[in-house]
């Protein structure tokens, strides 16, 4: 659950990962496992941000139904951690400039605890930087959860 504009929003998809590890006998196996876990975590995070972005679009624009946020990792970390591209196709649909559509979406994203910064860039992209305290809290809660 996350807070958005003073209310709780449930992500549209919830994924639970249960992982049992045994001691990897070689460095190569340890590295392979680390890379696989990193990739899996990135995919889960991207799905979570897609759900948050879709909810932000719906909230910001009052469209009545969720729209794809089209969240992708940024090409250059100086722009943020992820970018939301969903305002671009909405520009055609709503016959408005994508940059004009992106601003209220960025405002809605700024209300989410997981987002440290959401800025409109270029023709209508929203650059997203995750909140370090949210990441730390998520990792701490995950490590403390002995039931999974």
């Amino acid at each position: 659950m996350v807070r958005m504009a003073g209310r709780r929003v449930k992500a549209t998809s919830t994924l639970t990962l249960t992982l049992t590890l045994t001691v990897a006998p070689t460095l190569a196996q340890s590295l392979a496992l680390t890379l696989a876990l990193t990739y899996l975590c990135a995919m889960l995070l991207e799905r979570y941000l897609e759900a948050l972005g879709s909810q932000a679009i719906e909230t910001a624009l009052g469209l009545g139904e969720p729209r794809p946020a089209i969240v992708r990792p940024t090409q250059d970390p100086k722009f943020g951690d992820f970018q939301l591209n969903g305002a671009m196709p909405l520009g055609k649909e709503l016959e408005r400039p994508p940059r004009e559509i992106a601003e209220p979406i960025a405002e809605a994203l700024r209300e989410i605890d997981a987002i440290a910064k959401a800025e409109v860039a270029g023709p209508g992209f929203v650059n997203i930087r995750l909140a370090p305290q949210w990441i730390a809290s998520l990792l701490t809660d995950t490590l403390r959860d002995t039931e999974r």
Side-chain angles (χ1 to χ4, degrees):
M1 297 291 250
V2 295
R3 280 193 5 246
M4 177 185 279
R7 62 188 178 134
R8 291 185 153 232
V9 176
K10 185 175 182 181
T12 56
S13 66
T14 303
L15 298 174
T16 304
L17 171 65
T18 304
L19 181 64
T20 304
L21 296 175
T22 56
V23 176
T26 68
L27 180 59
Q29 288 174 325
S30 294
L31 181 58
L33 180 60
T34 301
L35 291 173
L37 288 173
T38 301
Y39 179 73
L40 181 59
C41 288
M43 286 177 44
L44 293 174
L45 181 57
E46 205 169 309
R47 277 188 169 174
Y48 178 69
L49 291 173
E50 177 69 29
L52 291 178
S54 182
Q55 180 68 41
I57 289 170
E58 184 180 355
T59 300
L61 303 176
L63 298 176
E65 63 184 54
R67 302 297 171 90
I70 314 173
V71 174
R72 301 290 181 265
T74 57
Q75 296 294 319
D76 188 337
K78 72 180 179 187
F79 298 121
D81 301 310
F82 291 88
Q83 72 180 33
L84 182 145
N85 302 320
M88 300 304 284
L90 283 172
K92 282 185 181 180
E93 180 184 332
L94 301 176
E95 297 179 350
R96 291 173 42 202
R99 190 169 176 89
E100 181 182 304
I101 293 169
E103 189 51 50
I105 296 169
E107 287 177 30
L109 288 169
R110 289 182 203 119
E111 298 297 318
I112 300 171
D113 294 342
I115 310 294
K117 199 177 209 181
E119 298 178 315
V120 177
F125 304 111
V126 180
N127 290 332
I128 299 169
R129 184 153 322 268
L130 297 176
Q133 66 274 16
W134 176 79
I135 295 170
S137 173
L138 183 66
L139 290 173
T140 301
D141 292 348
T142 302
L143 292 173
R144 286 186 181 153
D145 186 357
T146 58
E147 293 184 20
R148 281 201 245 177

